[in-house]
């Protein structure tokens, strides 16, 4: 059993959004085309409280993309984004959600960020995704969405740690930093992860 994980395909991460990923909108047609090839499709949403501590606006004198120590964890400070209930936090209107079986929301705790769909950044709390996938008999996970060097990467890394055979669909994701994505890909390969293209998945 294989599952497609669609990570954070939300307006705030698309061009014109509060934390826009370059060419983020280019992945949506692929995300739509891939879904019928999977028996299980799961989506995630970044879903932050308005005063989330990952927001630069919550730290006097700090600017977006500065780094701080946040309760013992290295934290990139972001522009306010994906605030609960805001239009930017919804799933993108262009994304076909008719095959999405369940949506997991992350980043809901004020004091800690959550890049991965499986855990917060300190691995202090689980989202329940791993147990959900195991309960459905999933052995392989394919990861697409935004952003390649953050939420997609951390999701794939945790999927590997949780024992799933893990594939990142490289052309169905986009990074904030191309250099960061190259480092992420090297790390995932070292951990036993796979990089594939949507064409390979659609042909399979």
């Amino acid at each position: 059993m294989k599952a497609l994980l669609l990570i954070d395909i939300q307006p705030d991460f698309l061009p014109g959004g509060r934390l826009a990923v370059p060419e983020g909108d280019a992945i949506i047609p692929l995300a739509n085309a891939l879904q019928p090839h999977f028996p299980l499709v799961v989506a995630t949403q970044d879903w932050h409280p308005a005063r989330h501590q990952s927001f630069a606006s919550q730290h006097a004198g700090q600017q977006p993309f500065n780094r701080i120590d946040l309760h013992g964890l290295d934290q990139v400070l972001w522009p306010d984004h994906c605030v609960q209930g805001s239009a930017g936090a919804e799933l993108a209107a262009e994304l076909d959600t008719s095959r999405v079986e369940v949506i997991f929301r992350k980043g809901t705790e004020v004091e800690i960020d959550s890049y991965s769909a499986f855990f917060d950044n300190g691995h202090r709390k689980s989202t329940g995704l791993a147990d959900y996938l195991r309960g459905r008999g999933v052995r392989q996970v394919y990861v697409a969405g935004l952003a390649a060097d953050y939420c997609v990467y951390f999701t794939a890394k945790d999927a590997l740690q949780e024992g799933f055979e893990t594939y990142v669909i490289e052309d169905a994701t986009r990074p904030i930093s191309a250099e960061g994505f190259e480092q992420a890909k090297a790390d995932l390969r070292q951990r036993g992860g796979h990089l594939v293209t949507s064409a390979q998945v659609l042909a399979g």
Side-chain angles (χ1 to χ4, degrees):
M1 174 81 159
K2 59 183 182 177
L4 176 64
L5 307 184
L6 299 176
I7 306 299
D8 299 359
I9 305 178
Q10 298 165 270
D12 271 350
F13 294 126
L14 302 178
R18 291 181 168 195
L19 182 49
V21 178
E23 300 180 356
D25 54 339
I27 73 166
I28 295 178
L30 288 176
N32 291 341
L34 287 161
Q35 290 182 59
H37 293 259
F38 289 85
L40 177 64
V41 181
V42 174
T44 69
Q45 280 175 290
D46 234 14
W47 195 250
H48 295 308
R51 300 182 65 80
H52 199 265
Q53 293 296 297
S54 72
F55 295 165
S57 63
Q58 299 304 305
H59 303 273
Q62 295 286 355
Q63 299 296 319
F65 306 106
N66 288 357
R67 302 181 90 102
I68 65 165
D69 181 286
L70 183 63
H71 309 302
L73 295 173
D74 179 50
Q75 177 67 53
V76 177
L77 293 178
W78 304 109
D80 290 25
H81 66 281
C82 297
V83 173
Q84 294 173 3
S86 69
E90 298 303 317
L91 290 174
E94 301 83 5
L95 180 67
D96 178 9
T97 57
S98 62
R99 296 182 61 86
V100 174
E101 184 164 306
V102 67
I103 298 166
F104 281 80
R105 288 173 167 171
K106 60 192 185 63
T108 58
E109 299 280 337
V110 172
E111 301 292 331
I112 191 165
D113 214 352
S114 187
Y115 298 151
S116 168
F118 291 93
F119 294 96
D120 64 51
N121 287 3
H123 275 228
R124 294 165 189 171
K125 286 186 180 177
S126 162
T127 64
L129 175 59
D131 288 339
Y132 176 83
L133 294 174
R134 288 190 193 103
R136 295 298 311 277
V138 171
R139 297 285 181 268
Q140 300 174 319
V141 297
Y142 288 73
V143 190
L146 301 169
D149 45 341
Y150 283 94
C151 296
V152 167
Y153 165 52
F154 279 83
T155 295
K157 190 162 66 165
D158 280 347
L160 287 164
Q161 184 178 314
E162 289 295 308
F164 297 101
E165 192 176 329
T166 303
Y167 300 80
V168 171
I169 306 173
E170 195 168 347
D171 55 332
T173 184
R174 290 291 187 280
I176 293 174
S177 156
E179 182 184 356
F181 189 32
E182 289 305 313
Q183 293 171 353
K185 287 191 289 185
D187 184 52
L188 291 173
R189 286 193 185 101
Q190 191 173 6
R191 293 169 184 267
H194 307 276
L195 279 298
V196 295
T197 65
S198 59
Q200 288 173 292
V201 176
L202 293 171

